[in-house]
Amino acid sequence: MKIEAIALREIHMKLKAPFETSFGTVQNRRILLVEVVADGASGWGEVTAGETPAYNAETTDTAWHVISDFIAPSVVGKSVAEASELPPLMARIRGHEMAKSGVENALWDAAAQLKGVPLYKLLGGTMQEIACGVSLGIRENPQSLVERVEEELRSGYQRIKLKIKPGKDYAFVAAVRKEFPDIRLSVDANSAYSLDDAAHLKKLDEFGLLMMEQPLDWDDIHIHAKLQAQMQTAICLDECIHNTRHALTAIELESCRIINIKLGRVSGHTEARLMQEMCRKRDVPVWCGGMLESGIGRAHNIAMSTLPGFTLPGDVSASQRYWSEDIIEPGVAVTAKGTIRVSNTPGLGYAVRRDRIEKLTVRRSNWDARHAASEEMSTVRTESC
Ligand code: OSB
Ligand code: MG
């Protein structure tokens, strides 16, 4: 496959409701979409960076910079046999996993189309239907949270995850657990606590949670081992894990018993696939996390979730929970039993609504190997606002 062109664009999409985590509230998403043209096929990827560097170090703007100034110039015009050969071409760029993921995943989509197979099959996915959970933002009071949980359960979701932070934790989880004693329930702190809070966090053991996600420092695997040793509840790492080596470190140190895999955070399908395989060999369950994605990122999450290591419900939920109008067609739909049936059409499995994307676009940049201007300049870059 020759990478003939890359188109990068920023689109603005407004979430139906503000989403609050321990690190902030977001409603107006600034999403980067990457379109990679390879051998005439056009594949799409999404950069899942946030608007601020509050979840991890990347932002919409750092990803724009890194793709524009480093990734696109080094990959446009290159040829690879498989999409999994793209990461070595980006290996000299340290970090910036979400920027890399947007480009790599777009190439996977193009590769699947060129082969005439659904992306999930190209990745080695084995499930035709995946289990879905929801992630609920922090609420004003426990009662309004209980009402939200009730709604999501009525829609069929198989697991409820509650965002927590100091002062908005014990009473909220207690209220939900009292109302729904048997549901699969978990919490996500997004690094809001320190080891000094261990006694407080241990109180949550009484609620029989499926897991507690990333309670401590975003970049400290070791410190989670100290907490896990004191807690019954399984710790799940999210922010700390950027590659398979990190996941192995966490498993060997017993820092967690479950791992959340997010395509952006781990730099794309190639690394995600390796990570789930390593975890599976060690009997560590993994699940697919979400980053409030548009339909394009969501379709990639669905494809990844069909791999055999993904044994727990993911934060992969219906388009209509997030957007009044998604950029794929049909929107992602969840069945009454809380599953998504995987599409068997080639590529992403959903049609990309270019017309809607066009209307939402606020800036774009293109690199094209076919119109190379000179020998030194292997690509031509055009930019417009
Ligand atoms: O920690 O999983 C997280 C959203 C933004 C940043 C981090 C996280 C989340 C979510 C939402 O939990 C998951 C989703 O519904 O996409
Ligand atoms: Mg998380």
Side-chain angles (χ1 to χ4, degrees):
M1 282 183 296
K2 179 165 183 204
I3 300 169
E4 293 159 346
I6 290 184
L8 175 65
R9 62 171 87 219
E10 176 175 338
I11 61 168
H12 287 182
M13 287 178 84
K14 188 171 183 180
L15 290 164
K16 277 185 173 175
F19 187 79
E20 184 180 344
T21 64
S22 64
F23 60 76
T25 303
V26 63
Q27 181 160 26
N28 293 310
R29 298 277 357 261
R30 294 176 56 209
I31 295 172
L32 300 188
L33 297 179
V34 183
E35 189 183 357
V36 169
V37 181
D39 290 354
S42 166
W44 290 85
E46 175 168 340
V47 174
T48 61
E51 294 69 27
T52 65
Y55 162 79
N56 67 351
E58 293 186 80
T59 68
T60 309
D61 290 313
T62 67
W64 183 278
H65 160 55
V66 169
I67 293 173
S68 298
D69 295 334
F70 305 107
I71 299 178
S74 60
V75 306
V76 172
K78 298 273 168 42
S79 289
V80 291
E82 308 283 345
S84 60
E85 290 176 11
L86 196 64
L89 300 183
M90 303 188 281
R92 292 173 71 173
I93 301 163
R94 302 299 190 213
H96 299 285
E97 292 86 0
M98 290 171 164
K100 292 173 182 170
S101 178
V103 178
E104 189 200 313
N105 295 348
L107 185 62
W108 276 99
D109 174 23
Q113 292 176 45
L114 289 167
K115 289 186 160 71
V117 298
L119 173 60
Y120 85 95
K121 287 219 167 124
L122 186 61
L123 292 168
T126 50
M127 301 177 221
Q128 296 277 336
E129 200 167 352
I130 61 163
C132 308
V134 286
S135 172
L136 299 183
I138 293 167
R139 308 292 289 198
E140 241 337 274
N141 55 62
Q143 193 45 43
S144 73
L145 182 61
V146 168
E147 282 159 24
R148 272 308 303 280
V149 171
E150 190 167 11
E151 255 173 68
E152 304 294 358
L153 291 171
R154 240 186 284 127
S155 306
Y157 288 102
Q158 300 185 13
R159 185 271 288 138
I160 304 287
K161 162 172 137 183
L162 311 175
K163 290 288 191 182
I164 57 167
K165 67 177 182 182
K168 295 235 172 177
D169 45 25
Y170 186 86
F172 288 70
V173 184
V176 172
R177 191 39 114 195
K178 182 159 178 275
E179 200 69 21
F180 309 103
D182 303 320
I183 61 168
R184 288 214 264 184
L185 187 64
S186 64
V187 294
D188 185 357
N190 290 108
S191 308
Y193 299 89
S194 77
L195 202 53
D196 295 341
D197 299 313
H200 179 67
L201 292 171
K202 267 154 56 177
K203 288 199 284 177
L204 298 179
D205 276 341
E206 72 181 80
F207 300 122
L209 301 175
L210 183 60
M211 71 188 89
M212 174 183 287
E213 196 177 329
Q214 195 71 39
L216 309 179
D217 304 74
W218 68 284
D219 60 349
D220 195 337
I221 296 174
H222 181 221
I223 204 166
H224 283 90
K226 299 188 186 206
L227 182 62
Q228 183 66 91
Q230 303 176 47
M231 283 194 74
Q232 276 175 329
T233 307
I235 290 176
C236 168
L237 289 181
D238 173 353
E239 280 88 331
C240 278
I241 309 296
H242 292 254
N243 54 52
T244 307
R245 290 178 293 99
H246 290 169
L248 185 57
T249 301
I251 292 169
E252 293 197 340
L253 290 178
E254 297 182 30
S255 301
C256 64
R257 298 189 201 127
I258 299 174
I259 288 177
N260 167 329
I261 300 184
K262 288 180 181 169
L263 274 170
R265 202 190 65 237
V266 309
S267 80
H269 282 301
T270 303
E271 191 67 21
R273 197 163 66 161
L274 290 169
M275 193 182 291
Q276 65 87 37
E277 190 182 300
M278 185 278 287
C279 290
R280 195 159 77 101
K281 283 192 184 134
R282 286 164 179 77
D283 286 324
V284 173
V286 308
W287 56 281
C288 174
M291 291 295 291
L292 310 171
E293 288 93 343
S294 80
I296 289 177
R298 203 163 291 284
H300 279 286
N301 288 345
I302 293 168
M304 175 179 79
S305 301
T306 64
L307 290 161
F310 288 77
T311 54
L312 291 170
D315 281 344
V316 192
S317 33
S319 294
Q320 58 157 34
R321 287 192 66 244
Y322 304 83
W323 318 110
S324 40
E325 193 175 64
D326 205 341
I327 56 172
I328 55 165
E329 204 161 276
V332 173
V334 170
T335 67
K337 56 187 173 97
T339 61
I340 291 171
R341 291 205 190 93
V342 184
S343 162
N344 274 294
T345 57
L348 280 183
Y350 297 83
V352 173
R353 285 290 303 258
R354 218 176 251 281
D355 54 335
R356 286 186 196 153
I357 291 174
E358 214 52 63
K359 288 202 192 106
L360 300 169
T361 298
V362 298
R363 58 170 165 164
R364 75 180 82 217
S365 194
N366 299 294
W367 294 262
D368 196 329
R370 291 168 297 193
H371 305 120
S374 71
E375 273 153 33
E376 307 100 283
M377 227 164 88
S378 63
T379 63
V380 170
R381 179 177 177 195
T382 53
E383 197 164 344
S384 59
C385 290

